[in-house]
Amino acid sequence: MEFITSPSQKFDLPKRIARLGELATNLWWTWNPEAARLFGRLDYDLWERLGHNPIRLLNEIEHARLKQSAKDADYLALYDAVFERFDAYFKKQAWTQKAHPELKNPVAYFSMEYGLHETLPIYSGGLGVLSGDHLKEASDLGLPLVGVGFMYAQGYFSQRISEDGWQEALNNFLTFDDLPVALVTKDGEPVAIEINFPDRAIRAQIWEVRVGRVPLYLLDSNVEGNDEYDRLLTARLYWSDLDRRIMQEILLGIGGVRALRALGYDPAVWHMNEGHASFLTLERIRELVAGGNTFADAARQTLSQNVFTTHTPVPAGNDEFPLWLVEKYLANYWGELGITREEFMEVAKHSHPHGETYSMPILALKLSGGSNAVSELHGEVSREMWKSLWSDRPVKDVPIDHITNGVHTANWLARRMNILLEKYLGADWYDNLDDPKLMQKLDTIPDEELWKVRLHLKRKLAFYLRERVRDRWTHGGFHPVQVVSSGVLINPYALTIGFARRFATYKRASLVFSDVERLLEIINRPNMPVQIIFAGKAHPADEPGKQLIQKVYRTVKKAETGGRLVFLEDYDMNLARYLVQGVDVWMNTPRRPYEASGTSGMKAAINGALNFSILDGWWREAYNERNGWAIGEEKPYESAETQDAADAESLYRALEHEIIPLYYDRNSKEMPLDWIARAKDAMKTVIPQFSTRRMVKEYVEKFYAPAAKK
Ligand SMILES: *Cc1c(COP(=O)(O)O)cnc(C)c1O
């Protein structure tokens, strides 16, 4: 197998710095900030203007600048240091080789979306960012893993907010030549896989992305031979149109298995990250049935190698299809499985009062040897939710375990914070970041040094917001009220709260506006100003989500807020990085227990921000009364209204009586010592436990290694 690298990825670089091209086409640089600086330092303005795209940077930069850098001793010192690390990384024996040498055949990891970097917008939110972090961690751990997903021709939409707060979606046509993807070919021809629907066949080609040591294969139906409709199949994430939705999931599950076979892989484990990929279970059975097994035998044999992770109890996240639609696309498939239509439907049947549907999570749950939810509470909720599938057992024995999510530390930790940790925890702290004992050394960091880094990160956020606004204002069509609402009046020394996530209604973005008068009083106290920065997209078809954005925006733009409430357009991984690193407090107000885990709060905590959240998902496990604050109580309510009212009251009280006074309680050097102590406690408790380091190791111990043994 070869990979066709597009001509624009063969760079014309001075010999001394020629390896920049290699760095640009492996996403390793995205979680090594010193490597990113290597690009930025070539031409900082251009780097920002191109949205941190190293391939475009190397193509569009003036050659004179490259020549100059190739002679600059400072630059070359950084260059040599980065490549020393780069080469050592790929040579090093990692954890898997020591702890699990038996893991030789790869884990196949299937996900509808991957959040790897803002220049590759093939993610919509938390699910994708988690997949991206999983791949990066697998690379760090030396875990043989291969990812499967889609190369979306249009990427996820870019968001604009109108003067009246209405979300507008801009299509985002990607130029593959500018991206770190290479077409997979054999004998000069693109490798392609085929799916046969009853009335036609569709084909897909395969792109490869290199994520450190981990390859990610992305299917793309925009190929000759497919009609226009089918060519658009992989154009976008999450089509609302059910026909396209089921076709995408067939392509991911069935096509994904065929793609790995075409590439010569024989995975030991098949991990479905959410139910979108569940059809892979059937394709693996089909392979064995073609070899002479019965369906039942094949299902038994493949079961122990399948792992399924469920990510949400919210119905919209648990795909189900009408039976007639399944029949429309798979009527010729059950024959290949050696079963009847009734037997086929039975496997994934979900009975509702209004009739029966074909449920993707049920398909995965029934055909996987290991299933898990993504936090302890989500485990309980999921066992309750799916108990009817195991009606002979008590709820506690429903076989859905939990592995709490984590974040990829190097990807989300500020460069300055990493330098501080290297100084006080040791240059190799990153190799042992999941060791809670090592984290005790955080107490040796002088308060002043930690606070200096915190202030630096907040100033960086404020400057970044200003430059974003300047850019929008310069290009015209931006109303002054939008300028103010985008954060130009932000004060880098005032207590700053961040709230950024998808605008789904259960996340209750407007909870803090339950009593606007009280909120205005809170943010405008003399000498104790408070700022709240909001950001987030709603799915373009989610009308209530878009109305929620509008409700938030209409309050944000009121003059009485003094510019202290802000709504930032176009939340993506880049903006997320600035926010989680720069704010003092990270707020999350989901309606319990719908936030299965949540991960953005972890990103904030590892940078020394304090969480202020509902005791749901991950925060219920992390909160210890010293590392942040809880909103509301851990109990069920009779109605959503009473729950919202109780949570809002709790939120205001904590702000008024605890958070604001603590932040502004300064010593003679203007430092809030108790606050800093809490920041250290947050880092100490969250860095080891809520990392993908701990998470991926848990997947290995609980699921991957046992499955590979069978
Ligand atoms: C981390 C992240 C998310 C997920 O955050 P939640 O806490 O799960 O809501 C969503 N979008 C982006 C861009 C992120 O970086």
Side-chain angles (χ1 to χ4, degrees), residues 373-395:
V374 291
S375 72
E376 187 186 47
L377 180 60
H378 180 225
E380 283 171 31
V381 171
S382 301
R383 287 188 288 278
E384 184 64 35
M385 189 167 159
W386 300 112
K387 66 184 176 192
S388 65
L389 300 179
W390 290 274
S391 51
D392 55 330
R393 305 187 187 185
V395 183

Side-chain angles (χ1 to χ4, degrees), residues 372-421:
N372 71 289
V374 291
S375 72
E376 187 186 47
L377 180 60
H378 180 225
E380 283 171 31
V381 171
S382 301
R383 287 188 288 278
E384 184 64 35
M385 189 167 159
W386 300 112
K387 66 184 176 192
S388 65
L389 300 179
W390 290 274
S391 51
D392 55 330
R393 305 187 187 185
V395 183
K396 69 174 177 43
D397 294 337
V398 167
I400 304 177
D401 204 332
H402 79 271
I403 294 180
T404 304
N405 283 343
V407 293
H408 185 263
T409 313
N411 193 65
W412 294 105
L413 190 69
R415 194 179 69 89
R416 284 280 184 101
M417 195 59 87
N418 182 48
I419 293 172
L420 190 67
L421 295 185

